[in-house]
Amino acid sequence: MPKYHRETKTIYQGKEMWVQVDPQALQETGEIRTVGEPVVADASITKCDRNGFEITYLAYLFDVFDQLGGQKYKVFKYIVEHKSADNTLIITNRKLAEKCGVSTQTVYECIKLLKEKGLIATTTGAIMVLPKIAHRGKAGREQFLMHKFEEFGSDTD
């Protein structure tokens, strides 16, 4: 019977030492004074599959947050929190404004900004979130959703 190499999902990182610091001494004098004995432990990292996890890439969002502001941010947050497993939200601008408690003009400006930044695609009555921002599922799901995102709304642009 042939032997197969099985990759381990746990990676040993070595030993770590943890100490408790006296907060009163730190606050009063800035001195770091340990309390009790140090704890030595093995450190390891366990790899896990992305199955079922939602991956959120904040690097894509930081640039947009400043531009969105308070009311527009409510709209963006609603879209991300209420999207389906296929990263789509079926909703009209009027209904989105109602759900977020903002004006339809705010929704329009937010959608326009998010489209310009490439974070969403739209078609009549539907919004799709860029899978690099957030998606749920296995590693191959992101590629599938990226393909769908590229095609989404291309008929109307």
Side-chain angles (χ1 to χ4, degrees):
M1 178 183 284
K3 293 184 180 179
Y4 295 98
H5 174 66
R6 184 175 171 193
E7 182 182 342
T8 179
K9 291 187 175 209
T10 303
I11 303 168
Y12 181 71
Q13 296 286 306
K15 300 243 183 233
E16 289 183 350
M17 183 181 298
W18 298 81
V19 295
Q20 184 176 359
V21 176
D22 180 4
Q24 187 175 1
L26 185 63
Q27 187 176 26
E28 291 173 0
T29 65
E31 177 185 1
I32 298 176
R33 191 178 317 152
T34 61
V35 178
E37 294 295 316
V39 175
V40 178
D42 290 322
S44 63
I45 296 173
T46 302
K47 296 179 192 176
C48 60
D49 296 327
R50 296 187 337 181
N51 298 346
F53 287 98
E54 181 155 310
I55 306 299
T56 305
Y57 295 96
L58 293 177
Y60 286 96
L61 306 178
F62 288 140
D63 180 45
V64 178
F65 285 155
D66 288 334
Q67 296 176 34
L68 284 174
Q71 296 300 311
K72 292 177 195 158
Y73 178 73
K74 284 183 187 178
V75 175
F76 179 62
K77 183 178 176 190
Y78 185 89
I79 292 167
V80 171
E81 288 179 347
H82 293 87
K83 65 183 177 47
S84 69
D86 282 343
N87 272 24
T88 57
L89 176 65
I90 308 298
I91 195 166
T92 64
N93 284 0
R94 185 175 306 281
K95 191 69 171 174
L96 186 55
E98 184 182 301
K99 293 280 187 184
C100 297
V102 301
S103 70
T104 53
Q105 182 63 30
T106 300
V107 169
Y108 173 78
E109 291 170 2
C110 179
I111 298 294
K112 182 180 176 192
L113 175 65
L114 294 172
K115 280 179 74 171
E116 286 172 0
K117 296 293 183 179
L119 300 177
I120 64 168
T122 62
T123 190
T124 305
I127 300 166
M128 184 172 187
V129 177
L130 176 68
K132 287 186 183 267
I133 292 176
H135 72 279
R136 188 175 303 273
K138 296 180 181 181
R141 182 124 175 97
E142 184 176 349
Q143 288 100 3
F144 167 75
L145 289 173
M146 281 301 294
H147 180 69
K148 186 175 178 181
F149 181 82
E150 290 169 5
E151 292 179 348
F152 193 86
S154 62
D155 297 336
T156 61
D157 290 342

